[in-house]
Amino acid sequence: MKTKKIAPLVLALLMVMLTCWAALPPQGADAAGSPAIMPDTSKISVGNTVWFGNHNDENPYNTSWSGPIQWRVMGNGNDGSGNSRLFLSSHVFDAVLFNQVNPGGNNNEWPASLAQIWCLALHNYSFSDVEKAALIKTTKTDASYAGNYAAFDDTFLENDRVFFLSAEEAESVYFPKDDDSSRIATRLVSGPVSEIPAAWWLRSPFDGNTDYVGAVDSSGRVLEMKVNEDNIYARPAFNFNLSSVLITSAAEDGKLSGPTGQNALTAVLSTETTDWKLTLLDSSRLFSATWFWGQKTRTVGYTGWTVDLDYSQARKGTNEKISALLCRKDDGTVLYYGQLQDDISDLGSGRVRISIPTGLAVGEYQLKVFNEQANGDKQTDYASSFSTFDIKVDPNFVTDVKLNKRSTVILVGNTETLTATVSPESATNKKVIWSSSDIGVATVDENGEVTAKAPGTAIITADAEGAKEGDRAAACFVTVLDAPVPAIVPGASKVGEGNTLWYGYYEDYPGYRYSAQWRVMGAGNDSGENSRLLLSENAMGDEIQFNSSGTNAWQGSTAQNWCKDFYNNALSAVEKAALAKTTKSDGEYTSKHNYVFGASGLSDEYLFLLSAEEAETYF
C-alpha cells in the first residue's frame, strides 16, 4: 500500500523539476543580425555554444554515444591567462566512477583518479592534433570551499587540459549560486538528448570523508556523492585558447559557398544563432598566395571584375579547399565566402581565378585567401593564415564644375543665387562646397545664395566634393555696390542729422531768387520730440548789423527783424505751417574759450539765430 502512494509522489516531484528546468531562459545570447561568419572570437562568449571535437567509439571509455560535441561558453578561463574561455560540455557524457574505494586511501583526490583518467582519454581520442593545441594546460589550486549543501576540501589541477569543475566553480563562479536549476544537465543517448536530468561529477573532495567527492545532483544541487557511485556522469570542461581561432561561423549553414570555381564567392547571411563552430589556425600549413593579374581598383557600378592569384604549398586531401573571404577593410566584416578550388595538385601550387561580386559600394575591401580543410556543419575546420590583398571601389568622380555666371553685380543688402552644375551626370557625389574670398563683402550659404554685405569685390567658389583630386572648382566674381537712395522717400526718415534740405527761397538782389539749403543739426531746441533743428547751410542775403541801436539784446534787434522778414517773404504758407513756434530761455553761458554770454531767450519765434551755447553744442 505504501508503494502505491509513494510512486505517484515521486513522479509528481520529477515532473515539477523537469518543468522548472524546461522553463529556464535560453542559454544563448541575443545575436540578432550577426553575420554567419565572424573574423574574430566575439561569438565565443557567455551564453553561446560551440561545437568542438568528436566523441567516438575509439575511446574505450565511451559507453554512451558518438558524434560532434557541443560546449557551453561559461566565461573567462580559470587558467588566469586572460586570453581563454572556459568550455563546459552542454550535456553529460558517460556514467563513470570517480574512483575506486581503496581502504585507507584518499579516494576522493582528483590526481590519478578514474575521473582524471577519463578526461585524459577524452582529450586523446576526441580531439584532433590542432584542436588539442588549442586546449590550455591548466595548473591551479582550489581552496577549501563551504557550499550551500556541503563543505569541500582543497585540491589542484596540474597541467590538466580536460577536467571537471570544482565545487566552487560549479556553485558560484560559472553558475548563479542561488539558482540550482541552472546547473541541471541532461545526457545524450546515441545522439538525441535525453529528457531526464543526470547528476555529474566535480573534482573537489568532500571535507570529512575520503570516500565522498563533490557532484551536482539531478536537481542542480552541489553536494557530496560516494566516489564509486555508478550512476554519476562525466561533464568535462577545458580552457580554450582564443588565439587559435581564425574564423568563427554559424554551426549550421555558416560557411555557404557557391559551386567550387571562380564564381564561388557567396554573400554571408545574417543569423540570430547562438550556436557556432570554429576554423582553427593550423600553424603547420605554409600556404601563401601572390597577386598575378587583375585590377585592384574599379569604379562603382563595375561589371566583370576578375583577378588571378598564384598560390603555393597548399595541402591536398579530403575536404581540402582554396577558399576566400571578401571583407570590409575598416572593420573586418565578412561579406562573402567561397571555396574556389578543390582539385589541388600534388605540388600544392597553382593559379586560381576569382570573380569579385558586383554591387560593392564605394569603399576599401580585403580579399583574404587561404587553404582550409572544410569539414562541414558542427565540425572544426583547419586553415592556413590569410594571404590578404587590398582592393578598392572608387566613386564615379566629378570631372567638371560650371556656374551659371562668371561675374555678377549685387547691391548691398540684396541676394542672388548661383547654380553649380557638375559633370558627369552619373557622378557619385554631386555635392559642392561654397566659399567666399571675403565674407565682409559677400557671403554664400550651402545652397549657393550670395548675400551682399558691403561695397567691394569677392570671389565665390564652388568646389566639387566628389572630385578625385579635390581640384574641380568654378568661380564667380561678385562686385558689391552701395544701394542708391530713392529720389522720393515717404515720411521724414531722411530728415536726419548730417543730411541737408532745400526749403524756401531768398533774394540776394532784387530779381535774383535762390533756393535755401538747410543742414539738419539734430533734435529741435523746442523741447519737442518730433522736431529737428535746421541751420542754413550758407550765409543768406546782405551783411547786416546785429542791432542798429547799439544794444546786444535779441528781442527787438535788427537780427530778429531780419528773421521775421525771411519767414514772411521766403516761405510759402504750407512751409510756414511746418515750422514750430519756439519759446525758450537761454541762461548765462561761458564758452570753451572762457567768454561769458548773458541770458537771452526766444518768444513765439519761427526763425532765429543760434545761442552761443547751441553753436558750441550742435557742432
Side-chain angles (χ1 to χ4, degrees), residues 307-325:
V307 300
D308 286 353
L309 303 177
D310 285 342
Y311 65 85
S312 61
Q313 300 193 69
R315 189 167 295 180
K316 179 180 180 179
T318 304
N319 297 333
E320 291 290 343
K321 315 284 183 181
I322 306 297
S323 299
L325 302 176

Side-chain angles (χ1 to χ4, degrees), residues 42-98:
S42 60
K43 294 302 176 183
I44 307 177
S45 57
V46 175
N48 286 347
T49 54
V50 174
W51 294 86
F52 191 83
N54 285 275
H55 196 38
N56 54 59
D57 294 334
E58 295 178 7
N59 186 343
Y61 292 91
N62 182 358
T63 61
S64 54
W65 55 274
S66 297
I69 307 171
Q70 186 187 47
W71 305 83
R72 284 180 62 180
V73 183
M74 303 304 295
N76 292 331
N78 65 7
D79 62 314
S81 68
N83 192 42
S84 64
R85 296 291 181 268
L86 188 130
F87 284 20
L88 177 68
S89 63
S90 295
H91 310 285
V92 299
F93 281 63
D94 309 308
V96 297
L97 302 181
F98 184 88

